[in-house]
Amino acid sequence: MIEIIRLESVGSTQEAMKERLSELDPSKITALIAKEQSSGRGREGRVFRSPLGGLYMTAALHIEGPLQKHIALSLLTGLAIARLAPRIRLKWPNDLLIESKKVGGILIETRAPWWLIGIGINVTTPLEKLEGLDQPVTTLGAFPHLDRKILESLEKMLPQFLNEGFAPFQQEYLQKSAFSPGDEIIVRERGRCTFEGITTLGELSISIDGKREDLHFGEISFRN
Ligand code: BTN
């Protein structure tokens, strides 16, 4: 079951959700959705610009026990979104791209046993409000009920994910990935390397000088 709380404006839906965790019903997915955020946050403490026109949502899931890999929940969420909007490509681990430009991002945090899935998407955001960012950005375009559709898409995938992990979704993720096996990429933590794929745990598989490595943390800083 999904419960949605809608707010006009908030600092960050992530922080607002953290303040409400004790009031949530663990049997439901609760989502906090705001029309704008004054202190939207991205991964690694970056600012996530959040003017009117975008989708800003945090979904709280109550998950008992350990998750296979933290990062896999980010990938699963990306896939839930890409299933709805076929133009979206997934840049491991948390970026949503259209034609190599960032259209949104995902931020996963935990306050065990709660998992907070933050989703920000430039939907009809005026592009001038996003000027000056360190990477090219774009918008998805009008998409009625996108927030609810994402939650329903995720809700549908969750039982299998919680039982079997990321493995059943690995191939579909790769099909929607911004990179294909053999692509040259630059990973901030490793430098120039070859994209080999995504593992069944949701890790980034790369090779450097023929040596294979699986990363569960990192950032791809270059795309072809
Ligand atoms: C990223 O691109 O690094 C992740 C962006 C995540 C942004 C969303 S918007 C809703 C939620 N509230 C926040 O402050 N951040 C996430």
Side-chain angles (χ1 to χ4, degrees):
M1 258 228 300
I2 297 168
E3 185 167 328
I4 295 180
I5 303 164
R6 291 187 188 274
L7 304 172
E8 285 298 310
S9 181
V10 73
S12 156
T13 56
Q14 293 292 106
E15 303 316 313
M17 185 62 98
K18 285 175 197 164
E19 286 166 15
R20 288 174 189 235
L21 289 178
S22 63
E23 301 158 25
L24 303 187
D25 178 345
S27 66
K28 292 181 184 166
I29 297 176
T30 304
L32 205 59
I33 301 173
K35 289 187 181 160
E36 60 182 343
Q37 301 183 116
S38 53
S39 326
R41 287 192 300 107
R43 212 166 145 245
E44 301 183 350
R46 293 184 198 122
V47 169
F48 189 81
R49 292 255 199 103
S50 312
L52 287 174
L55 178 153
Y56 313 111
M57 160 162 91
T58 296
L61 308 182
H62 188 272
I63 302 177
E64 294 289 0
L67 271 191
Q68 220 181 23
K69 284 272 180 207
H70 177 148
I71 207 142
L73 191 54
S74 176
L75 273 51
L76 188 84
T77 305
L79 191 52
I81 298 168
R83 279 184 177 185
L84 298 169
R87 286 198 304 146
I88 290 185
R89 287 286 163 268
L90 304 170
K91 175 172 169 273
W92 184 94
N94 74 316
D95 278 347
L96 308 170
L97 307 181
I98 291 179
E99 291 168 1
S100 301
K101 296 178 184 162
K102 180 156 172 159
V103 71
I106 296 160
L107 176 68
I108 306 285
E109 294 181 293
T110 182
R111 293 286 182 277
W114 291 98
W115 287 79
L116 307 181
I117 304 177
I119 301 169
I121 301 179
N122 307 324
V123 185
T124 55
T125 322
L127 277 176
E128 64 269 19
K129 301 263 183 194
L130 302 172
E131 266 169 18
L133 294 172
D134 58 357
Q135 60 181 317
V137 290
T138 189
T139 52
L140 178 63
F143 199 126
H145 312 297
L146 178 61
D147 42 25
R148 178 167 280 282
K149 285 179 181 159
I150 291 174
L151 292 165
E152 287 170 355
S153 178
L154 194 58
E155 187 186 38
K156 217 166 96 189
M157 297 162 91
L158 269 171
Q160 191 177 18
F161 175 70
L162 294 175
N163 282 324
E164 301 172 40
F166 184 68
F169 304 98
Q170 177 204 22
Q171 282 309 317
E172 188 184 351
Y173 185 93
L174 199 55
Q175 280 161 18
K176 298 198 181 290
S177 163
F179 309 105
S180 303
D183 281 354
E184 289 296 309
I185 56 172
I186 293 177
V187 172
R188 189 184 55 194
E189 290 75 10
R190 291 291 184 279
R192 188 171 283 275
C193 54
T194 305
F195 177 87
E196 298 289 351
I198 302 294
T199 72
T200 54
L201 298 178
E203 299 151 318
L204 174 68
S205 198
I206 55 167
S207 62
I208 305 173
D209 299 330
K211 203 169 153 259
R212 193 127 174 183
E213 208 180 328
D214 297 334
L215 305 177
H216 64 266
F217 180 83
E219 174 130 335
I220 301 173
S221 58
F222 175 82
R223 37 184 185 266
N224 287 328

